[in-house]
Amino acid sequence: MNVASVLRACAIHPRSKFIKHQRIVIIGAGHVGASAAYALMLRALFREIVLIDSDPALAQAEAADLQDANALARPARIWAGEYADAAGAGIAVITAGAATHGDESRLSVAGRSAKIVETCVDALMAAGFDGILLVASNPVDLMAQVAMRRSGLDAARVIGTGTLLDSNRLRQALAARLDVAPGAIHAQVLGEHGDSEVAAFSGVRVGGMPLEAFAPGGVDRDEVAKEVRTAAYAIVGGKGYTSWGVATAVVRICEALVRGEHAVLPVSTLLTGEFGIEGVYLSLPCVLGASGVERVLTPELDADEMTALRASAEVLRAAGEGLEGAEV
């Protein structure tokens, strides 16, 4: 068996820059950053995981805790580092940002988060980082756009976690109502990762069947959409923050990048005319490979979904224009 055959058998694209992606830097060692580091360690995607935080003691403590766990997992070097360590990283994940409280919306913390993200990006680029930048800080669409403008990196290499998590929540909500496994359902949430998000029911497929064909009479779409849209508020109300879901989204995106999978995932990227929307970061299904976003897809939407998607874009555009001190 030749090398190309082996790579195909391992689901790794022959042109994947796997060697470059042996180190990942996670900026922000809070709930999301630490959870992502733990999940990445278990997946054994990287040989080196670096935690950076404005509170060095927190980063050191989380790194030490992860090292203890790593003794029972696959070998990896995990440490609390500095921005200089980012120069050798293929991917940098920014989780640092302002936290929401109670029913506070993600957009309401945009100004505070933008200042934090700008500081992180400035330090990252000053250290010589030249990889792919993955943003998980909320509000993620605006923060990904701030990071892209501030870093000077091509938009294809600055990705927001976007609605990947929301899409999984939609699949779970539908699966519970239809009594099938979530894996049997294709469903996507598009637009903002936030209150204006669009659950694209017209494209839902259950075992390849349209939703209405699988379940005559369908489901209460408004109820499902609200459940998905408010899921984070319910979690924050119960435990004060979200972590595991978004951390797993970070891992899935990293996996697609590292392995050069050409996987199609709904992530936040800069639109350049898709659906008549331009100059705004929001989520559409994207082909992700070793170089980042390789293609932005435009799924079929019904008239109401199209209108809602454009409205979501305008919400983000207005919020971006209202940011003070951020280059959006």
Side-chain angles (χ1 to χ4, degrees):
M1 182 179 288
N2 59 32
V3 172
S5 297
V6 171
L7 289 170
R8 281 194 296 272
C10 295
I12 301 174
H13 195 277
R15 292 192 297 274
S16 173
K17 301 174 182 177
F18 189 78
I19 299 300
K20 181 181 178 182
H21 290 305
Q22 293 303 294
R23 177 183 296 179
I24 186 169
V25 170
I26 299 175
I27 302 171
H31 299 300
V32 175
S35 298
Y38 178 70
L40 286 165
M41 177 198 72
L42 293 180
R43 276 312 250 282
L45 283 175
F46 300 90
R47 293 180 182 173
E48 299 179 341
I49 300 173
V50 186
L51 295 179
I52 298 174
D53 197 274
S54 58
D55 180 354
L58 174 63
Q60 290 167 4
E62 291 290 5
D65 203 5
L66 286 164
Q67 287 168 358
D68 289 344
N70 188 235
L72 297 172
R74 298 176 184 177
R77 182 185 174 208
I78 305 169
W79 76 96
E82 300 177 350
Y83 280 97
D85 296 309
I91 299 175
V93 182
I94 297 180
T95 68
T100 58
H101 302 283
D103 59 358
E104 190 176 24
S105 73
R106 297 178 181 93
L107 288 179
S108 68
V109 300
R112 284 180 283 151
S113 274
K115 293 176 182 178
I116 295 169
V117 169
E118 286 178 334
T119 298
C120 295
V121 170
D122 287 350
L124 194 61
M125 302 313 294
F129 175 74
D130 189 35
I132 294 174
L133 185 54
L134 178 58
V135 180
S137 311
N138 274 321
V140 70
D141 305 289
L142 293 181
M143 295 307 101
Q145 191 155 357
V146 166
M148 185 271 291
R149 294 283 180 84
R150 195 78 174 186
S151 68
L153 294 172
D154 185 84
R157 293 166 58 196
V158 183
I159 305 166
T161 51
T163 58
L164 177 56
L165 174 55
D166 308 82
S167 297
N168 286 335
R169 287 171 174 160
L170 177 58
R171 292 168 59 219
Q172 290 185 87
L174 289 171
R177 288 164 173 79
L178 300 175
D179 197 25
V180 296
I185 298 176
H186 172 83
Q188 295 184 115
V189 174
L190 309 176
E192 179 198 2
H193 172 56
D195 294 341
S196 71
E197 65 185 30
V198 182
F201 286 101
S202 67
V204 171
R205 295 292 182 271
V206 184
M209 298 174 63
L211 178 59
E212 295 293 345
F214 181 86
V219 298
D220 187 329
R221 297 186 179 190
D222 290 339
E223 178 185 80
V224 171
K226 181 180 179 181
E227 178 181 323
V228 172
R229 187 174 62 252
T230 60
Y233 294 120
I235 295 170
V236 171
K239 67 182 235 181
Y241 57 90
T242 61
S243 55
W244 298 111
V246 65
T248 304
V250 166
V251 174
R252 180 65 191 99
I253 294 167
C254 287
E255 190 173 45
L257 297 171
V258 168
R259 295 178 175 172
E261 289 182 6
H262 302 292
V264 176
L265 300 174
V267 296
S268 189
T269 190
L270 183 67
L271 268 59
T272 57
E274 294 84 358
F275 296 117
I277 303 168
E278 190 168 3
V280 177
Y281 259 74
L282 54 73
S283 286
L284 285 178
C286 296
V287 179
L288 295 183
S291 58
V293 173
E294 298 184 347
R295 183 180 174 187
V296 181
L297 307 183
T298 52
E300 290 187 10
L301 302 175
D302 64 27
D304 289 341
E305 291 164 352
M306 188 81 72
T307 298
L309 182 64
R310 289 172 177 156
S312 185
E314 289 310 307
V315 166
L316 288 167
R317 192 185 306 279
E321 291 172 350
L323 281 179
E324 294 182 4
E327 296 180 313
V328 179

